[in-house]
Amino acid sequence: MIENEIIIKKSKFITKLYNIDNVDDAKKIIEDLKKEYKKADHIVYAYSINGQEKAYDDKEPSHTAGMPILNVIHMKKLNNILIVVIRYFGGIKLGAGGLTRAYSNSASEIIKKL
């Protein structure tokens, strides 16, 4: 697991990247993170595992969180990967474009650490 953190307009984005072999592992990791980060405002994720893909926005506006992460996974041609971004809202709304950029940047930055 690799971890990174960025702050954008007072919102904290904690990003975690996992190399995984199956969807069940992804589900277990996400379940554990939801317990660990109970007070987080959003736990957003995307994965690509042996041709199975999922992008999840966790109450962020549709397609502003999970899809930008999945798009980064596609651009980097990664497989068997789960990226989770835990967001603590800082009080300043980012708007749809700002959210898309924030989640894309979070995913891009963590992939640089591979």
Side-chain angles (χ1 to χ4, degrees), residues 44 57 60-68 95-104:
V44 169
D57 293 322
E60 291 282 29
S62 184
H63 302 295
T64 62
M67 279 309 296
L99 285 171
T100 299
R101 283 187 299 278
Y103 286 108
S104 290

Side-chain angles (χ1 to χ4, degrees), residues 17 48-49 53 72-81 83 111 114:
L17 181 148
S48 178
I49 305 163
E53 296 182 340
V72 171
I73 292 171
H74 286 160
M75 283 190 301
K76 300 295 183 181
K77 295 179 172 57
L78 299 173
N79 188 30
N80 289 8
I81 197 137
I83 298 177
I111 287 170
L114 277 175

